Amino acid sequence: MGLALLAAPATAQDRTARLLGELADAHGPSGFEEPVRKIVVRELAPLTDSIRYDGVGSVIAQSGTTGPKIMFDAHMDEVGGMVRRIAPGGLLTMQLLGGFLDQVLIDKRWTILGSKGPVTAVTGIRSVHTVAAEERSRLIPRDMIFLDVGARTAAEVEALGISPGDPIVPWSPFEIMSGGVRYVGKAWDDRVGLAVVIEAMRRLKETGHPNQIFVAATVQEEIGLRGARTAADIIKPDVGIAIEAGVTGDMPGSPAEASQARLGGGPGIFLFDSSTIPNRKFVALVKAVAAAERIPLQLDLVQGYGDDSGAIQATDGGVPTVNLVVPGRSLHAHNGIIDRGDFDRMVELVVALIRRLDAKTVAELKDFTPR
């Protein structure tokens, strides 16, 4: 593979773009992953030997019955919310699911998934004409935010099929941006990871691999890495590879210490985050595979970030793990952006990596005998 970082324009959607769009548009906040699960099972069924589920709803698809057990992980849930209270005047409050900045919540459209179908809601904001000058630059805290569905009373809200506990997701349709190589949408964390896993399994189905691959499409990552833990309890992997959406530091005003990654710079690997420090031998192997395949690899250390590899690592007496990331800009908000070239090179990287994980290599990753 060459070192050029730009993918061919894909304004006319190819299979991968269609899959990315379908996954991004699917509604699936933590605990409500059913629409995403349906897509994942449909895609993985012809690519794997069997599919089962853990007790909280994670998908576990197996390919191969001999060799090391590789847990190949991406989570299905996205940041979102659920209806908390319905006020007498027809406004609603929201319980957030996952990490949002307060400033991204105001004046946005949302979709409430009620019993009678989806309902559009708006997190309203007072008109500038009624806000005192000293308040205009102040941040509106999340506990002051209300959802407006156009109802005048609580009874009208209930007539729409909305009740407390109903899931809420950002409204942000997928779109291919000008130039054809960057995609905007919601939920790249972690629908981009799911798409990587699916496309990698498509290639491995064609070429074969020396492992038992257990694809884990997990639930409730955004509220505590829950599905990864329960899925790993079932799989008992020899090694774990988590595929995530990374963060970039290429926005104006971004602190240099926040992230070194940039959009379009290639796939990344986290050397540290708040949930895990990866296995050092595994990191070295990823670097070696990327170099051999001539794939640019971005190295990053990120505070305030947790991922499924942290849960996988701490199961069954300890599992060597790495967290590989497709860089994403403006994540955990309505309009995240990814680069198609980063995605394609991540697929190439994980396919090459999994082919290298034979029994001897995996045994070396797990050997901590002093030399």
Side-chain angles (χ1 to χ4, degrees):
M1 300 298 172
L3 288 174
L5 297 184
L6 287 178
T11 48
Q13 291 194 21
D14 61 5
R15 182 190 66 200
T16 299
R18 288 193 298 271
L19 176 62
L20 282 162
E22 186 180 12
L23 286 168
D25 284 345
H27 300 321
S30 302
F32 302 92
E33 296 90 353
E34 290 88 350
V36 186
R37 185 183 299 114
K38 185 176 181 180
I39 298 169
V40 169
V41 170
R42 181 197 73 201
E43 293 293 323
L44 289 178
L47 306 177
T48 56
D49 302 326
S50 64
I51 293 179
R52 53 181 164 158
Y53 309 89
D54 68 12
V56 293
S58 300
V59 178
I60 302 173
Q62 183 174 351
S63 172
T65 57
T66 61
K69 292 198 289 186
I70 313 301
M71 183 169 173
F72 194 19
D73 167 281
H75 66 88
M76 295 186 288
D77 59 318
E78 63 186 291
V79 292
M82 62 170 66
V83 175
R84 186 175 181 85
R85 301 281 187 268
I86 302 173
L91 297 177
L92 297 81
T93 59
M94 175 167 53
Q95 171 65 51
L96 294 177
L97 298 172
F100 285 97
L101 292 172
D102 285 8
Q103 53 262 49
V104 307
L105 299 173
I106 288 294
D107 196 32
K108 297 293 194 301
R109 294 189 187 190
W110 306 76
T111 301
I112 302 175
L113 306 174
S115 62
K116 296 182 179 180
V119 177
T120 297
V122 175
T123 40
I125 187 170
R126 291 161 57 197
S127 169
V128 66
H129 306 92
T130 64
V131 177
E134 63 271 16
E135 295 182 21
R136 292 182 183 181
S137 61
R138 290 180 186 170
L139 178 69
I140 300 174
R142 60 188 61 196
D143 59 2
M144 295 291 291
I145 295 172
F146 292 86
L147 288 163
D148 189 338
V149 296
R152 295 166 294 181
T153 65
E156 289 187 359
V157 174
E158 292 164 4
L160 293 171
I162 297 173
S163 60
D166 286 343
I168 305 169
V169 290
W171 184 87
S172 179
F174 168 82
E175 186 174 348
I176 298 177
M177 303 178 78
S178 299
V181 298
R182 292 191 171 174
Y183 300 168
V184 61
K186 69 175 183 63
W188 292 130
D189 183 6
D190 186 30
R191 306 294 162 68
V192 68
L194 290 174
V196 167
V197 168
I198 291 166
E199 290 300 320
M201 293 306 297
R202 198 183 311 278
R203 297 192 192 184
L204 290 166
K205 173 76 172 179
E206 296 171 354
T207 62
H209 56 83
N211 316 291
Q212 300 177 71
I213 302 177
F214 292 84
V215 176
T218 61
V219 299
Q220 300 187 40
E221 189 270 356
E222 297 292 357
I223 56 173
L225 318 183
R226 297 175 185 176
R229 188 170 295 108
T230 53
D233 284 342
I234 291 174
I235 296 168
K236 300 187 183 303
D238 291 307
V239 296
I241 303 170
I243 308 297
E244 265 283 8
V247 296
T248 63
D250 55 3
M251 292 282 283
S254 296
E257 283 299 302
S259 173
Q260 298 295 315
R262 62 183 179 86
L263 210 61
I269 182 172
F270 277 8
L271 306 179
F272 170 93
D273 67 41
S274 299
S275 64
T276 186
I277 298 176
N279 178 285
R280 291 174 62 190
K281 294 180 183 178
F282 211 166
V283 170
L285 177 63
V286 172
K287 291 179 179 179
V289 170
E293 298 295 321
R294 302 183 68 194
I295 297 170
L297 182 66
Q298 303 193 77
L299 311 180
D300 216 348
L301 295 83
V302 180
Q303 299 273 6
Y305 183 111
D307 73 275
D308 276 351
S309 70
I312 299 167
Q313 183 184 63
T315 60
D316 199 33
V319 178
T321 62
V322 287
N323 183 38
L324 304 180
V325 298
V326 179
R329 184 181 287 166
S330 303
L331 299 183
H332 281 222
H334 276 57
N335 298 296
I337 300 174
I338 61 169
D339 186 283
R340 176 63 185 270
D342 294 338
F343 175 89
D344 289 340
R345 286 167 179 79
M346 175 63 86
V347 174
E348 296 169 8
L349 176 61
V350 296
V351 167
L353 178 62
I354 288 172
R355 287 178 180 149
R356 286 280 298 272
L357 289 171
D358 56 18
K360 180 176 182 294
T361 300
V362 170
E364 291 171 351
L365 296 180
K366 300 176 71 172
D367 184 4
F368 292 93
T369 306
R371 304 300 183 191

